[in-house]
Amino acid sequence: MGQATGAPPGPIGRLPRPEDCSLPRSAEPGPAARASVTTRPPPPPRQHHPMLRITALPDVPRWAVLAAHAVPWITLPSGLWRVALVAGLPVAAEEQRGTGEAVYILLLSLVSEGLALLTLGLVRGWGEVVPGWVPVIGGRPVPTMAAVVPALLGAAGLFGLLGWACYAQIAGLGAESGVTDSTAQSALLVLCYIPLIAWPPLLTAVALAYYRRRTACASPEAA
């Protein structure tokens, strides 16, 4: 009988075990290498439009920042209602008539929203230093009263308009020619215009906070 030709028993002939396939201790990655493989960098912060960011100077009170950023939002619904009226949507009893009236309504909406956005200047840097892109006066400091007086006068005018609107509603002025002719239209009109009640007090509060901050910063320098 010839000798068997199979592989002899021993380390050469047996199948490899899992522990034999593991890397030697010197070849294993260290903690820093494992951390670099397992950890992922955080996602970049989500970018928002500059006008939508609630940003302000560091010394502005938080309540003033929120109040200033709320003003453009409380004027927006009424402006959208007027745009819908010009577009011919059924938001009022009668559609606007004529190109001149349509232009007036659109300009009123744009001017109102533009004035509301100016409130942000009372809490941001461009309300204290004129932006550099402005011709002639760019980079110059804004006089305190040049911002406070127009803001308070505007708030006084808004208080006057608000008082007149309340009086007209109570006295029934213009009731014979109503703006709306259905409950849904009336509810939409009230929903869009009722936020305007907060415009004058918010503007007054932010303007006074601006005045106090600017004068408080100027007092030590004057002393």
Side-chain angles (χ1 to χ4, degrees):
M1 296 289 294
Q3 190 176 4
T5 57
I12 300 178
R14 65 177 175 84
L15 295 175
R17 292 178 297 177
E19 54 269 22
D20 296 332
C21 299
S22 59
L23 293 174
R25 187 174 299 275
S26 59
E28 292 182 357
R34 288 196 298 266
S36 63
V37 174
T38 57
T39 59
R40 297 180 180 179
R46 188 176 180 181
Q47 299 294 327
H48 299 278
H49 192 276
M51 296 305 294
L52 300 180
R53 298 175 188 166
I54 302 181
T55 58
L57 295 172
D59 56 343
V60 180
R62 182 63 177 174
W63 67 263
V65 177
L66 296 177
H69 284 79
V71 170
W73 291 105
I74 65 178
T75 59
L76 185 60
S78 59
L80 294 178
W81 185 90
R82 290 188 291 267
V83 172
L85 178 64
V86 173
L89 299 179
V91 295
E94 297 181 2
E95 298 181 0
Q96 59 85 24
R97 288 166 287 185
T99 305
E101 184 178 358
V103 172
Y104 166 76
I105 293 174
L106 291 177
L107 286 178
L108 177 62
S109 301
L110 292 175
V111 170
S112 298
E113 196 62 28
L115 293 175
L117 289 172
L118 287 178
T119 311
L120 298 177
L122 299 175
V123 299
R124 295 188 178 183
W126 54 270
E128 297 187 4
V129 178
V130 181
W133 53 265
V134 178
V136 182
I137 61 174
R140 297 183 181 181
V142 177
T144 301
M145 301 310 295
V148 174
V149 171
L152 293 180
L153 289 178
L158 290 173
F159 273 118
L161 291 175
L162 180 61
W164 170 254
C166 293
Y167 169 76
Q169 185 68 23
I170 296 173
L173 301 180
E176 62 280 358
S177 57
V179 178
T180 61
D181 58 0
S182 68
T183 304
Q185 290 181 350
S186 299
L188 180 61
L189 180 65
V190 172
L191 184 64
C192 291
Y193 274 83
I194 201 68
L196 293 178
I197 296 177
W199 190 1
L202 288 179
L203 178 57
T204 302
V206 176
L208 293 178
Y210 175 89
Y211 175 78
R212 291 184 60 184
R213 187 178 75 256
R214 294 292 304 275
T215 53
C217 293
S219 298
E221 296 177 1

